[in-house]
Amino acid sequence: MSNKRHIEPLLWSLFGAGGTTIAFFFPAIIFVVGLGVPLEIIPAEALSYERMSTFFLESWIGKLVLMVALVPSYWACIHRIYHGAHDLGFHPGVGVKVACYGGTLILSLATIALLLV
């Protein structure tokens, strides 16, 4: 029996967090943009560029919402792609795994850094 530690549980937890985030945020976004505005339930000017950029890029709550919506989603997407490739018979090596998850880590840190500036 090996005492070797695996990173896989951490990656699956990030995948789970991302999946939960996607399941929580994206149906609401689809409703607002895809149904709410076209059916005039929500006024179109409520989603104007000026108003949305002010909220999401100039307020701390908006930046927090973006971070919570985007960063876990990155991890869910890359984990799904990596394991989907494996399920299709492509067995990428350790280098591809490091590139996938390392790239996602860099993307996550860049998103956080850009939103905090």
Side-chain angles (χ1 to χ4, degrees), residues 8 12 15 75-92 96 100-101:
E8 202 65 28
W12 277 104
F15 168 75
W75 291 95
C77 290
I78 198 63
H79 200 67
R80 174 73 64 195
I81 290 167
Y82 182 80
H83 282 282
H86 191 271
D87 292 342
L88 291 172
F90 302 107
H91 302 289
V96 173
C100 287
Y101 292 108

Side-chain angles (χ1 to χ4, degrees), residues 78 82 93-107:
I78 198 63
Y82 182 80
V94 176
V96 173
K97 188 173 191 175
V98 169
C100 287
Y101 292 108
T104 304
L105 177 62
I106 291 168
L107 180 61

